[in-house]
Amino acid sequence: MGGHDRRTVRDLRRSNRAAVLRLLYFEGPLSRQELGPATGLSSGSISNVVTELLAEGVLEEAGSVGSDGGRPRTLLRVARQSACLVGVDVGETRVRVELFDLMLTEVARSEQPLDDGGHDVSLVVRLIEKGLAAVLAQVGESTGPLLGVGVGVPGIVERRSHGGALVHGQTVGWDAVPLEEMLRESAGLADGDGSPGGAVGALAGRHRARSVPLLIGNGAKTLGQAEMWFGAGRGARDAVIALIGSGVGACVVTGGEPYGGASSGAGEWGHTVLAVGGRACRCGARGCLEAYVGAGGVIARWREAGGEPGSGDEESALAELLATGRGEGARARIAAAVLEETAEYLGAGIADLVNLFNPERIVIGGWAGLLLGPQLLPAVRTATDAYALRYPAARTAVELCRLGPDAVTVGAATLPLRRFLDAGGSPPPGVALSV
């Protein structure tokens, strides 16, 4: 027998709300008359959905535009103050926590240095909790309810049906770390489906929520989501967003959706082998791309070549390398040679992405990628063309990330945002969407 459409009236209503809300979020402001053709919904359905979302405070009117001989048409947009979101970036040297309004404009931020504690998971949990308290303390009641907290982490995120996500971060010493469970217990957050995860305490009092959902994702993938929605990847269906910092990763997007593989481990581009038996990598293997183009690998090669990086952090050392390479004399020649070699290594790694995935765009991001990119991008493109097959290479654009060093944090905030949009603007269980 043929299958039956088992969607309920409730499912249809949620689908209609999601269609309208997504269009207004990414393309608004728009009038009711424009929403119908763009969503395929009837004028009656549009009217019902818009009336509901206006009454709930998710949408607001945004002025009007004239029409051909008729009454002016009222424009609608998402009400940015109707709710807020938090994004967390568990980086290499710091934990960055940012609070955004619903349109992902930054409202408050807190940065907690990791210092010598490294990525001890108990320390990371404490710093996230401290950052959450700091950003929430900077805002008032007018910010709207907190819809969720997204966390971008180094490593592979394993999703379980019970007990929350595990993080396998081999390069930072995390082996099946139950980060989600630890955070829910520590900060009183809820799991990804909105189930209560303990007393929310101050979060509940300030944001009218009995529980606040927590969602965890790989940092490179959250960066990729942000760039696909708001940055250099927007409009592409097939792309690779690369994160280059101390570590190296990638978000592979196929058909408009991030690709995770059989166990969410796809995108570990930094641990593809560039040279068999080559340089030692943080993951324990040899010859990984990360060992050549990650910030630590670049600085180590500069030192081995006779360079003398200062005693500052990796970011300072990499900036010093770039500045030295633009100078004159023996030190400048050494630095320039290291940078030239780095561009070739990176181009070869990008060529592998071109040959494997045939993307429309490859976007280079991450703090080290954004430091190196402006100076090295022409040489990287030349090396990519030299190592990739000509036909796909000629059809792939290699660009820089547009969202800057905060892209992982913005991307982390898109985890609860995507959940909210998919639900048609309905708040998670236990979160009252009121203004």
Side-chain angles (χ1 to χ4, degrees), residues 43 46 73 140 155 158 165 181 190 192 226 258 272 276-277 294 311 337 376 382 390:
S43 59
I46 292 293
R73 295 180 174 182
E158 176 190 351
E181 185 176 12
T272 55
V276 174
S311 58
L376 300 190
T382 299
R390 289 191 299 273

Side-chain angles (χ1 to χ4, degrees), residues 238-252:
D238 296 281
V240 180
I241 316 298
L243 184 154
I244 304 175
S246 292
V248 175
C251 175
V252 178

Side-chain angles (χ1 to χ4, degrees), residues 356-379:
L356 280 170
F357 300 109
N358 188 25
E360 300 167 58
R361 297 176 208 168
I362 294 176
V363 179
I364 300 172
W367 68 264
L370 290 172
L371 267 178
L372 293 168
Q375 192 163 325
L376 300 190
L377 191 58

Side-chain angles (χ1 to χ4, degrees), residues 304-323:
E304 292 165 9
E308 299 176 354
S311 58
D313 58 20
E314 287 184 346
E315 191 168 349
S316 300
L318 201 59
E320 182 185 351
L321 169 62
L322 289 162

Side-chain angles (χ1 to χ4, degrees), residues 96 99 195 213 259:
R96 178 182 289 130
L99 184 130
S195 302
Y259 175 69

Side-chain angles (χ1 to χ4, degrees), residues 23-24 27-40 46 65 73-76:
L23 189 62
L24 285 170
E27 305 296 339
L30 298 168
S31 68
R32 290 171 177 81
Q33 290 79 6
E34 292 171 303
L35 289 171
T39 60
I46 292 293
V65 292
R73 295 180 174 182
T74 300
L75 295 175
L76 303 164

